[in-house]
Amino acid sequence: MTEGAPNLDFTDAGSGTCKAGTAYTAGQSCTVDVSFKPKFAGTRYGAAELLDGSGNVLAIGYVQGTGVGPQVTFLPGTQSVVANAATNGLDTPQGIAVDGGGNIYIADSSNNQVLKETLSAGSYNQSVVANAATA
């Protein structure tokens, strides 16, 4: 996991001793080897999770690495409008954040809502994550 999203910067290298479908007893140990291929520059945080057969987390091992290289590339480049007043009433954006999966979150204080913009097939799909009426 990278910031909660699977298979971004950190992936299972496949050479550890922990194997899916294997029953482990208390006190037994195994290893997970992780491959680090950062998608962005800067410090990247991740975790390897050991799950039981029902998907419950039994253990977590934290990892981090530093990606180097350009943060922004311009070519070929396509500009996209994420949100604006004409299409969705965005009036007074007060903050913006991007998660590990590339989703964009915009805090719209005039409308008391948080918009989530998800990139799909070259354009953004919008949803309201929270607003004053549902929070």
Side-chain angles (χ1 to χ4, degrees):
M1 305 285 267
T2 302
E3 298 178 13
N7 301 315
L8 290 179
D9 297 328
F10 301 95
T11 57
D12 183 355
S15 55
T17 60
C18 293
K19 301 295 177 195
T22 302
Y24 294 96
T25 59
Q28 201 173 5
S29 66
C30 64
T31 62
V32 175
D33 294 333
V34 177
S35 175
F36 178 58
K37 294 181 182 172
K39 297 190 181 301
F40 302 102
T43 304
R44 308 297 290 162
Y45 298 99
E49 297 179 332
L50 179 63
L51 309 175
D52 67 12
S54 300
N56 298 313
V57 177
L58 299 174
I60 298 175
Y62 295 100
V63 294
Q64 78 175 49
T66 302
V68 294
Q71 184 68 32
V72 178
T73 56
F74 293 100
L75 297 174
T78 303
Q79 183 176 1
S80 297
V81 174
V82 178
N84 63 42
T87 60
N88 56 29
L90 179 65
D91 185 29
T92 310
Q94 291 295 310
I96 189 166
V98 180
D99 67 14
N103 298 308
I104 300 170
Y105 299 85
I106 304 168
D108 181 1
S109 63
S110 288
N111 294 311
N112 294 318
Q113 64 183 0
V114 176
L115 303 174
K116 178 182 179 183
E117 303 287 341
T118 305
L119 185 62
S120 176
S123 64
Y124 285 90
N125 294 321
Q126 184 180 94
S127 58
V128 175
V129 177
N131 64 34
T134 61

